[in-house]
Amino acid sequence: MAYVIAAPCIDHQDQACIDSCPVDCITFEPGLDRKAYIDPDGCIECGACVNECPQGAIYHETELPGPWAVFARIDRAWYRDSDMARDAVDAAAAAAA
Ligand code: SF4
């Protein structure tokens, strides 16, 4: 189990969450990614990042609002195949537009 960064992060990437994480498991590549991602294998579920996000984008994966459930898979996917995750973010953003 882990925390997940959902749709409100897309095209914001405030980065306060990155500074708040005690285990440095929040990442994105500037210029390539439209959101940040939490490494589910590194997250210790401390919750420190949740209130740091001005977009309210971070949820425990068991508490993701239904339309954003896909972001648990997207965050996990980024650490295996970042291009696949980026395509999924584009698709999620387009679906929400
Ligand atoms: Fe990092 Fe804690 Fe947020 Fe997990 S819940 S991403 S460990 S700050």
Side-chain angles (χ1 to χ4, degrees):
M1 293 290 183
Y3 279 75
V4 171
I5 302 178
C9 182
I10 296 173
D11 297 332
H12 287 285
Q13 298 168 319
D14 174 81
Q15 303 182 40
C17 61
I18 294 173
D19 294 336
S20 75
C21 180
V23 293
D24 294 329
C25 71
I26 307 176
T27 312
F28 74 102
E29 292 188 43
L32 292 176
D33 286 303
R34 297 177 66 184
K35 67 180 281 293
Y37 305 87
I38 293 175
D39 180 355
D41 294 327
C43 179
I44 59 172
E45 302 179 69
C46 70
C49 54
V50 173
N51 290 332
E52 296 299 320
C53 178
Q55 303 299 326
I58 305 177
Y59 295 80
H60 192 268
E61 65 179 285
T62 60
E63 297 174 347
L64 277 164
W68 296 340
V70 67
F71 284 91
R73 292 197 298 275
I74 291 173
D75 273 20
R76 187 174 297 276
W78 191 83
Y79 291 89
R80 297 192 311 264
D81 184 339
S82 55
D83 286 337
M84 183 176 73
R86 289 171 186 137
D87 288 346
V89 168
D90 287 342

